Amino acid sequence: MNEQILHPDISVVLPVFNEEKNLAALAQRLKSVLEQTQVRYEVIFVNDGSTDNSLAILKSMAAADSSIGYISLSRNFGHQVAISAGLDVATGNAVVVMDADLQDPPELIPDLYAKMQEGFEVVYGRRVYRKGESFLKKLTAKFFYRLLSNITHVAIPIDTGDFRIMDARVVKVLKQMPERNKFLRGQVAWVGFRQTWVDFVRDERLDGKPGYTYRKMIRFAFDGITSFSDFPLKMASMLGFIVSGIAFLLMIYTLLARLVFKDYVEGWASIILSVLFLGGVQLICIGIAGEYLARVFNNVQGRPLYVVDEQEIKKEKQS
């Protein structure tokens, strides 16, 4: 007799990096919420090269609960790639993506799922307040999202993270996007379909330190901008025209001062300033072009997006 795999109603994908102190509470809250929703579900943890005891805890949870599975990557590939690895194995009719630090409350999942039943393919959680975050982090995040919204040709939702629920059709399209510098928030917006949001208050981390340092946040911002906007390249061209115009005006002024007004002072200050200014603009433009070229280089190498060390994903079967 042929056996068919039963697709869960909801798959929950959670990237994990050094979250050993949060996993037990997270699993308990997830299980309670999903059981109350009365749907078939699977929970997929993606261990993104954790250096603490996270993997051992995930193995223990998977052994004790058939609805929990895990993927362990061979090293740290980054938050967005870890999510992609989870999406690749998720088989649910709807897929929830959320962080494992309990800043994204599992209790919001029923609201996201209920909103999806109204006919939406994507429902994301929109943060109306972020607890436990510094003023600088809130300010830079607010600035980044509004900047990105103004310079991209894709309507990327403001004040949202990766906490969302997506229809399987959306996930299928995301799997066909092979770029290595992932910016899933932009990719989901690019896919289209009917999208909406549910407001929520983002909690503090239950325990541990945030994995996103300011350096990673800047890198993430660059990925978002360069993946969905050519504005920096246009800005480099505009700077070139502006600097050329200024240089032309200075050339006319210099010639008039020398030949007509006889008002000039021999020296090197103006030359040095001009060289430094022009050199700085040229380096900025080369750097911007280099960022885009580096992304092209990374994508044409053809390396796999991630490498799986081990995994255990149980699938419910029907005879």
Side-chain angles (χ1 to χ4, degrees), residues 27 31 35 41 45 55-70 312 314:
K31 186 177 180 67
E35 287 181 349
Y41 66 90
F45 291 95
L55 179 57
I57 295 173
L58 294 179
K59 288 182 177 180
S60 176
M61 291 194 306
D65 190 338
S66 61
S67 64
I68 294 178
Y70 70 89
E312 182 179 349
K314 305 181 185 74

Side-chain angles (χ1 to χ4, degrees), residues 25-225:
L26 171 62
Q28 183 178 6
R29 286 173 60 178
L30 266 176
K31 186 177 180 67
S32 175
V33 167
L34 293 170
E35 287 181 349
Q36 291 176 14
T37 310
Q38 297 182 342
V39 295
R40 290 195 309 274
Y41 66 90
E42 65 176 357
V43 179
I44 301 171
F45 291 95
V46 183
N47 177 46
D48 189 25
S50 297
T51 56
D52 62 0
N53 203 36
S54 293
L55 179 57
I57 295 173
L58 294 179
K59 288 182 177 180
S60 176
M61 291 194 306
D65 190 338
S66 61
S67 64
I68 294 178
Y70 70 89
I71 303 173
S72 183
L73 304 184
S74 61
R75 63 171 177 84
N76 180 256
F77 284 87
H79 180 267
Q80 300 291 283
V81 174
I83 293 176
S84 299
L87 295 179
D88 285 343
V89 299
T91 58
N93 298 321
V95 180
V96 174
V97 176
M98 59 185 296
D99 290 338
D101 54 13
L102 285 173
Q103 288 187 280
D104 298 333
E107 291 75 16
L108 191 69
I109 293 177
D111 293 337
L112 297 175
Y113 188 63
K115 195 71 174 178
M116 173 175 275
Q117 304 312 305
E118 298 178 11
F120 296 98
E121 280 76 25
V122 179
V123 184
Y124 47 87
R126 188 174 68 173
R127 308 157 178 166
V128 295
Y129 185 73
R130 301 155 68 110
K131 294 181 180 179
E133 295 185 358
S134 66
F135 172 77
L136 179 60
K137 187 172 183 179
K138 292 177 182 178
L139 181 65
T140 53
K142 186 175 183 178
F143 171 76
F144 165 67
Y145 285 118
R146 280 151 184 79
L147 172 65
L148 191 63
S149 176
N150 288 325
I151 67 175
T152 58
H153 58 277
V154 177
I156 300 174
I158 294 175
D159 297 328
T160 64
D162 292 308
F163 188 23
R164 66 192 66 215
I165 188 170
M166 300 175 288
D167 185 86
R169 290 186 297 166
V170 177
V171 176
K172 183 179 180 181
V173 178
L174 292 177
K175 293 178 182 179
Q176 298 170 1
M177 296 183 177
E179 56 258 46
R180 300 180 60 82
N181 300 98
K182 289 285 187 181
F183 187 69
L184 288 168
R185 301 167 198 183
Q187 289 181 333
V188 173
W190 180 90
V191 169
F193 292 110
R194 287 157 294 188
Q195 304 192 11
T196 188
W197 69 89
V198 172
D199 289 336
F200 77 104
V201 175
R202 195 163 200 242
D203 295 328
E204 296 183 58
R205 285 181 60 89
L206 181 65
D207 208 328
K209 296 180 179 180
Y212 260 103
T213 61
Y214 280 106
R215 179 181 177 183
K216 289 184 178 180
M217 288 172 60
I218 292 173
R219 184 77 263 170
F220 183 63
F222 268 105
D223 287 340
I225 292 171

